[in-house]
Amino acid sequence: MLAEYAPDAIELGKAFADAGHELALVGGPVRDAFLGRAGVDLDFATSARPDDTERILATWGDAHWDMGREFGTIGARRGDVIVEVTTYRTEAYDPTSRKPQVAYGDSLDGDLSRRDFTVNSMAVRLPDLTFVDPFDGLTDLANGLLRTPVTAEQSFDDDPLRMMRAARFSAQLGFDVDESVLKAMTAMAERITIVSAERVQSELVRLLMSTAPRRGLELMVYTGLAEYVLPELPGMQLTIDEHHRHKDVYEHSLTVLDQAIDLESGPDGPVPGPDLVLRLAALLHDVGKPATRRLEPGGGVSFHHHEIVGAKMATKRLRELRFDKATIKAVSHLVALHLRFHGYGEAAWTDSAVRRYVTDAGDQLERLHRLTRADCTTRNQRKAARLSHAYDDLERRITALSAEEELKAIRPDLDGTQIMEILQIPAGRDVGAAYKHLLALRMEHGPLGPERAEAELRSWWAARRAG
């Protein structure tokens, strides 16, 4: 099977053997081969040192690179196939360091023993295709179990990021974690703070982009790992929502995440899944509720302006996790807007209000549609149907108005140059004020046309000068 799955791997194995070195396909590619999931990225372990590996790959591939040389890794590409070849190694963390200390090993079994989980500690020696499974990873793969090759405490002490990987693989593969892994994660959760924010963020993104991120997030919260990675998530457990529809806002947020994922579109749709921005916004949309929780007369609970507070909290957390500026801006914008639709069903919006909704959403409109729909988690079927119909109506109105005018790029009927020409004034505050006045009229009444716009401008200017 592997011969069909990775013929390039066999040829590469021959090249290393001819040079007097061992080579084995390791980790994820082997695991995925048994799961029937072929890929074009292949990971290898070798007895060769990086300089020797680089010489071999330079001959084998179309291109090669050594950005991972510090960790003993050399990469190469041949056609669509990308390979990374790493010298046998062991790793350990200094308690005060954020970077692993790398030492080269001398055997494949030793290299496999320092990998994160037994399902990733299987290998196939090349080019003879000898299967190597010293820690019975194949059995764990069949049982859907995440277990460490050495003790979980030693494994997580060597590289605390493996605790995040446990959550990520649980979400990606739908696997359970072994009891020993669960206990070690709980006892050692704080050790994740020694790992750089960039590495933690990378694992969190992979978890969120998986098929079932809720599973991994629940594991992080249960073990206490989330307290050090995304503390706002377990923090929501303390806050009951105002309608008592859920055990807590935490459970509501996970449900919204599930529903948002269901609303992602196909690759040719407006929000192709998996969509990181939508998923982060769904997870964090109510993150401001604990800070804004207030007890009201009669025993009710309110969370006034939690969307504004939540947007600021989301921004702060995502910055600390080193997310890029565009992602942070988009997520915080969605969090700030997620309540805007509320009340539409009870009070009809004017065309102006619909225009403002679209304009304020900007390029996040399609995501906002999905976030707003996903935020309905009531068990009251009649209420859920009413909210769904109301949003259907809003989307129909947006579509109808969009057909008449380009809502996503609403501008006044006159630009700044035209305003200056008509009023015979230089650039300055008066031009800005005139522009805002015409924009407000445009939002309220739709396109005015140049003649009416000029008349409105002159009338406004006369009143302004008289005042």
Side-chain angles (χ1 to χ4, degrees), residues 370-383:
R370 285 154 178 79
L371 177 60
T372 302
R373 288 184 181 276
D375 196 22
C376 176
T377 60
T378 177
R379 295 192 183 99
N380 184 323
Q381 295 301 312
R382 294 180 64 181
K383 183 175 182 180

Side-chain angles (χ1 to χ4, degrees), residues 287 306-317 319 332 335:
V287 76
H306 75 269
E307 72 280 13
I308 305 303
V309 173
K312 293 178 180 178
M313 292 175 64
T315 295
K316 180 176 183 293
R317 177 55 51 198
R319 280 178 179 166
S332 62
V335 172

Side-chain angles (χ1 to χ4, degrees), residues 213-427:
R214 178 174 188 149
R215 185 186 186 98
L217 293 168
E218 288 176 332
L219 179 60
M220 288 177 59
V221 171
Y222 181 80
T223 58
L225 191 61
E227 295 283 355
Y228 304 98
V229 175
L230 199 63
E232 294 81 3
L233 186 58
M236 288 189 284
Q237 286 182 308
L238 307 178
T239 309
I240 305 299
D241 79 7
E242 64 269 40
H243 302 296
H244 298 274
R245 294 173 298 188
H246 301 275
K247 180 180 179 181
D248 48 39
V249 177
Y250 162 75
E251 291 288 346
H252 164 76
S253 298
L254 292 179
T255 300
V256 172
L257 173 61
D258 288 339
Q259 295 184 167
I261 291 171
D262 290 339
L263 292 171
E264 290 172 340
S265 66
D268 298 325
V271 184
D275 187 87
L276 179 62
V277 168
L278 177 61
R279 295 183 181 202
L280 280 168
L283 185 64
L284 300 176
H285 76 286
D286 274 347
V287 76
K289 279 192 169 180
T292 58
R293 183 175 185 269
R294 298 290 182 272
L295 293 176
E296 301 292 346
V301 180
S302 67
F303 304 95
H304 295 306
H305 306 301
H306 75 269
E307 72 280 13
I308 305 303
V309 173
K312 293 178 180 178
M313 292 175 64
T315 295
K316 180 176 183 293
R317 177 55 51 198
L318 296 180
R319 280 178 179 166
E320 291 183 358
L321 286 169
R322 304 295 191 271
F323 277 89
D324 62 276
K325 291 181 180 179
T327 298
I328 295 172
K329 181 180 178 180
V331 171
S332 62
H333 191 51
L334 287 167
V335 172
L337 290 177
H338 82 272
L339 287 183
R340 284 286 294 273
F341 169 72
H342 286 228
Y344 178 85
E346 284 74 28
W349 282 8
T350 63
D351 285 352
S352 174
V354 175
R355 291 188 187 99
R356 291 186 187 280
Y357 185 80
V358 174
T359 302
D360 290 348
D363 60 3
Q364 298 305 314
L365 180 62
E366 291 292 345
R367 288 189 177 113
L368 183 59
H369 286 335
R370 285 154 178 79
L371 177 60
T372 302
R373 288 184 181 276
D375 196 22
C376 176
T377 60
T378 177
R379 295 192 183 99
N380 184 323
Q381 295 301 312
R382 294 180 64 181
K383 183 175 182 180
R386 186 168 67 251
L387 289 171
S388 179
H389 290 324
Y391 208 86
D392 288 343
D393 182 66
L394 175 58
E395 288 201 62
R396 282 193 294 269
R397 290 183 65 189
I398 289 172
T399 300
L401 286 171
S402 296
E404 299 172 8
E405 50 190 277
E406 296 181 3
L407 278 178
K408 293 182 180 178
I410 289 179
R411 299 289 186 273
D413 295 81
L414 303 173
D415 61 24
T417 300
Q418 291 170 308
I419 291 171
M420 289 187 288
E421 290 177 354
I422 292 170
L423 300 182
Q424 293 295 298
I425 59 174

Side-chain angles (χ1 to χ4, degrees), residues 79-92:
D80 294 331
V81 176
I82 297 175
V83 304
E84 287 193 344
V85 182
T86 303
T87 301
Y88 295 155
R89 62 187 182 182
T90 58
E91 283 181 357

Side-chain angles (χ1 to χ4, degrees), residues 26 108-115 120-123 132 134-135 149:
V26 295
L108 176 60
D109 281 9
D111 183 87
L112 295 177
S113 73
R114 49 136 314 262
R115 294 182 178 269
N120 296 325
S121 298
M122 301 180 289
V132 181
F135 304 102

